[in-house]
Amino acid sequence: MGVWNTEIKGNDTTLDIYSNFFDKYNNGGNQVWVSNEIKAEFEDYFSDSDDRNNSLFGLALAQWETKSLEPEIYKTVKEIIENGTDLDLWKELGADKKTLNDRKSELENFLKLISTEKPKAKRRVRPKFEFTTNELVKIRTIDGTKEFRVNEEFTNGKYIHTSGIMEWSSVVELE
């Protein structure tokens, strides 16, 4: 569990769950499908004693923001906070009194937040689409009638494929 601070989203686990939820949601997935995908994709997080609480907090926050908080997730999160399970874990990991008090306050505020219905669901943010091509090879025949090119293509910075094309020209360019 990578922790930066006592805030609900102040650790790697919660942010992984929360960010992945919104990646799928913003790409058009409905809340139920997205939640099920997150539970399956991060099954190890949800079953790990160190990561379980933060995984549930991340999912609960994302569901609350999209007006889809599952009663079972809410109930489990509420029990974790009210029973002090999360604070016990922080103690085991070596947190001092000030840190535990700060975390307790964050947890209480978080529970208050998700205990009230959010007026409007968080709007989807359209994902940016950026297509880029890198020309790797460009060879032209001596007479200028044919050209061979090899390109790499990327979408949003992720490699898609490498393609090659041979083109014939009916007009010869004179130099």
Side-chain angles (χ1 to χ4, degrees), residues 4-166:
W4 315 314
N5 59 49
T6 59
E7 295 174 9
I8 294 301
K9 291 196 295 185
N11 63 80
D12 293 328
T13 303
T14 301
L15 275 183
D16 284 348
I17 300 293
Y18 183 85
S19 299
N20 278 280
F21 182 99
F22 278 103
D23 285 347
K24 291 171 180 15
Y25 176 72
N26 288 335
N27 277 308
N30 75 42
Q31 297 93 316
V32 173
W33 176 84
V34 170
S35 292
N36 290 334
E37 286 292 304
I38 293 297
K39 289 174 194 173
E41 188 176 332
F42 292 94
E43 183 179 358
D44 292 346
Y45 282 28
F46 287 101
S47 61
D48 182 78
S49 60
D50 286 351
D51 289 326
R52 180 176 182 268
N53 298 347
N54 289 320
S55 299
L56 289 165
F57 297 160
L59 183 58
L61 181 59
Q63 287 181 347
W64 179 81
E65 288 183 3
T66 58
K67 293 185 64 84
S68 62
L69 182 55
E70 295 173 55
E72 192 59 36
I73 296 288
Y74 173 76
K75 180 183 172 198
T76 304
V77 166
K78 185 177 179 185
E79 286 173 5
I80 289 168
I81 293 171
E82 289 179 344
N83 295 339
T85 308
D86 191 61
L87 294 175
D88 291 341
L89 177 61
W90 279 59
K91 276 183 208 169
E92 289 174 25
L93 296 172
D96 61 22
K97 276 192 175 199
K98 182 188 178 330
T99 302
L100 291 170
N101 285 335
D102 291 348
R103 179 66 173 180
K104 183 178 182 184
S105 177
E106 284 291 327
L107 292 171
E108 289 169 352
N109 290 335
F110 178 62
L111 184 56
K112 281 181 197 170
L113 177 74
I114 66 170
S115 294
T116 58
E117 189 172 338
K118 189 166 178 8
K120 286 184 177 179
K122 186 172 184 174
R123 293 182 61 187
R124 294 177 197 267
V125 177
R126 285 190 177 222
K128 293 178 185 174
F129 181 79
E130 180 184 315
F131 180 80
T132 55
T133 301
N134 293 335
E135 189 172 78
L136 300 176
V137 176
K138 182 176 180 179
I139 303 171
R140 182 175 279 168
T141 58
I142 294 172
D143 65 1
T145 59
K146 298 174 202 89
E147 185 175 87
F148 175 69
R149 287 192 311 262
V150 177
N151 298 317
E152 281 184 322
E153 297 173 351
F154 299 82
T155 300
N156 295 335
K158 292 183 181 178
Y159 172 79
I160 300 174
H161 64 266
T162 303
S163 62
I165 187 166
M166 175 69 84

